[in-house]
Amino acid sequence: MNTRTPLIAGNWKMNLTLKEAETLAKAVAETATRYTDRDVLIYPTFLQFTQAAKIAQGSRVALGVQNCSAEKDGAFTGEISASQAKEAGAQFVLIGHSERRHILKESDAFLKQKVERVLEQNLMCMLCVGETLAERESGHAEAVVLGQLNAALGQLAPQLWKNIAIAYEPVWAIGTGKNATPDDAQAMHAAIRRRVSELNQDIAPQLRILYGGSVKPDNIGALMGKADIDGALVGGASLKAESFAELVKNAK
Ligand code: PEP
């Protein structure tokens, strides 16, 4: 029996109108009051963030931003800083989502800088890692994922690990309706935890490792039944109040 509280996170990406975001945030806050043995987190867009944070205030829902700058402040048009995210009420920052790694070409070195900015603010950093289909099919999935982990966190000072969560998201499973089998996901989660244990033995048993990639109400139970899967990072199925409520309910 581990002591890691399950964490279900909804990544809203660039979806929803402000009105829809407000309605969804209210529904998520209600859902979270019903399942007090698991944690719930939402990542609205920056423009929805303040309203969602107001609605979630005093509830069990944590708020995060989907990205932040690699710089502290200054002339970086269109960016927001980790300190601004904190000021707005964020507790988590999502770093290295595959859409940012692959579409926006964010490199491992760039993402490491972002991790540093997040941790300087004493925020929680949720680092996404994951292989492409070609990398999996050529037998390199584990090397790619552990390489991403090493690049972002390999040099991390021991006291900072308590502010880290990891989301393993195979790129081929995101938004595609395909997902890793619970056994395949578990194997990668165990490999991640083993590597973290080499980097920081004390933190490894406490570190939350979430799975992401077409998680739905009907497959989350089997995933969460695995020893090293501590929650889910959910895109599509987090955008509807009913399906997100079902997800949280089934995340045992
Ligand atoms: C995600 O956005 O991180 C994700 C996993 O999306 P989806 O659940 O839609 O595959």
Side-chain angles (χ1 to χ4, degrees), residues 11 13 97 99 169 173-176 212-216 233-237:
N11 176 14
K13 310 193 187 188
H97 191 279
E99 287 148 17
E169 299 204 303
I174 299 177
T176 58
S214 298
V215 177
K216 306 276 184 264
L233 177 58
V234 186

Side-chain angles (χ1 to χ4, degrees), residues 50-66:
T50 309
Q51 276 308 100
K54 266 191 206 148
I55 289 163
Q57 205 170 27
S59 80
R60 297 192 58 258
V61 179
L63 267 287
V65 289
Q66 298 172 16

Side-chain angles (χ1 to χ4, degrees), residues 69-89:
S69 172
E71 303 293 335
K72 285 189 184 168
D73 54 29
F76 301 98
T77 302
E79 295 283 79
I80 66 125
S81 68
S83 66
Q84 288 167 332
K86 184 175 183 174
E87 192 181 23

Side-chain angles (χ1 to χ4, degrees), residues 19-68:
K19 189 102 207 89
E20 288 166 345
E22 287 170 358
T23 305
L24 184 56
K26 271 185 210 134
V28 173
E30 277 162 29
T31 296
T33 57
R34 273 184 267 140
Y35 304 100
T36 52
D37 57 347
R38 50 211 89 164
D39 292 337
V40 175
L41 164 66
I42 51 174
Y43 289 105
T45 67
F46 296 142
L47 292 175
Q48 297 158 353
F49 186 92
T50 309
Q51 276 308 100
K54 266 191 206 148
I55 289 163
Q57 205 170 27
S59 80
R60 297 192 58 258
V61 179
L63 267 287
V65 289
Q66 298 172 16
N67 179 39
C68 76

